[in-house]
Amino acid sequence: MFFRILSIIFPIFAIIGAGWLYARLRHRNGGGIDMAFANQLNMEVFVPALVFAALVSKDFALGSYRDLALAALLLMFGSGIVAWWLARLLGEQPKTFVPPMMFVNSGNMGLPLMVLAFGDGALPAAVVLFFVENLLHYTLGTWLLDHHARLWNLWRVPVIFAALLALAVKFVEVPLWPPLLVAIKLVGDVAIPLLLFSLGVRLALSQWSDVRLGLIGMVLRPATGMLFAALLARLLALDERDAAMLMVFGALPPAVLNYVFAERYHQEPAKVASLVMIGNLGALLFIPLALAMTLQ
């Protein structure tokens, strides 16, 4: 079991480590590093292509993932409620603490992790979890930080547009030319390694500004996530694979997008950066734990 878990997590953390090492070496040699264009290209082209290809595949049937999507939503809401209560107890601003405890790294880490752990057939379910998390992050997450934010143009977010387009294609049963679908899949294949590499770069550039809050979040995020995953899997009678994927989803660390949103809305970005960085380092402990609990 140890070597099986190691074989799953090693490629993920090796690529993250490569990004971290590259950024540190560039910084040490006096060179700057700007991942802005690469990240923009990934979120506007490669990840949408990955989402579209997964959702239009023959293996994807929307109705079969309804309970998994509902479980993911309830898990995030439950984690958010616990985090709101603890933030009040600690004297921290809920707007700072709650989003990183709710919205997880379902893209950078979740997608490759679930494919490596559960096989290529798990990609559609992993994409559903990624889409549900992103949709809630861009809606509720934005509203939490700015109650006056306009959400009517959410469809313009490339990842969400790609998912809606794929669902429309599946609904009207539009046949796609196989070579076109192959091309879209090839473009989407760029997304996962670039997501991991850019995460490593981001972690290398982050600051340890509030270790106390970061350590609390490092434990709270996966602990509440895995607890709600276990309860919801039983309550909704999820099948074995979906229950295992939900457990891994619950163990994921805070999404890097939390830091991006905190910067945009001036919501204590230094504290959020620490929550994200320390939480992702804590994944070295909690991800293997979640895999040990789910793999047979």
Side-chain angles (χ1 to χ4, degrees), residues 173-193:
E173 298 182 352
V174 175
L176 290 178
W177 189 37
L180 174 60
L181 187 56
V182 170
I184 295 173
K185 287 181 178 178
L186 288 174
V187 172
D189 287 342
V190 179
I192 288 178

Side-chain angles (χ1 to χ4, degrees), residues 251-266:
L252 291 173
V256 177
L257 191 59
N258 288 296
Y259 173 66
V260 176
F261 276 28
E263 276 192 326
R264 180 186 301 174
Y265 295 105
H266 309 289

Side-chain angles (χ1 to χ4, degrees), residues 108-184:
N108 296 65
M109 193 175 292
L111 287 173
L113 177 62
M114 292 184 188
V115 171
L116 286 170
F118 304 108
D120 291 337
L123 180 59
V127 166
V128 167
L129 291 171
F130 170 68
F131 174 68
V132 168
E133 187 272 332
N134 263 249
L135 182 62
L136 193 64
H137 201 165
Y138 276 101
T139 52
L140 179 61
T142 301
W143 181 84
L144 286 173
L145 297 177
D146 181 7
H147 291 353
H148 302 290
R150 297 179 179 179
L151 303 178
W152 63 270
N153 57 355
L154 183 65
W155 65 271
R156 294 183 181 180
V157 177
V159 170
I160 294 175
F161 178 79
L164 294 175
L165 180 62
L167 294 177
V169 169
K170 290 285 286 187
F171 180 75
V172 299
E173 298 182 352
V174 175
L176 290 178
W177 189 37
L180 174 60
L181 187 56
V182 170
I184 295 173

Side-chain angles (χ1 to χ4, degrees), residues 2-16 109 112-113 116-117 196 283-289 291:
F2 170 79
F3 287 106
R4 185 179 179 189
I5 293 173
L6 181 63
S7 69
I8 292 169
I9 66 172
F10 177 80
I12 294 168
F13 287 102
I15 299 175
I16 294 173
M109 193 175 292
L113 177 62
L116 286 170
L196 292 171
L284 287 166
L285 172 63
F286 289 101
I287 292 300
L289 177 61
L291 291 173

Side-chain angles (χ1 to χ4, degrees), residues 12-34:
I12 294 168
F13 287 102
I15 299 175
I16 294 173
W20 182 89
L21 182 62
Y22 174 76
R24 298 300 296 179
L25 290 175
R26 288 279 297 177
H27 182 71
R28 182 178 300 174
N29 295 330
I33 181 168
D34 185 3

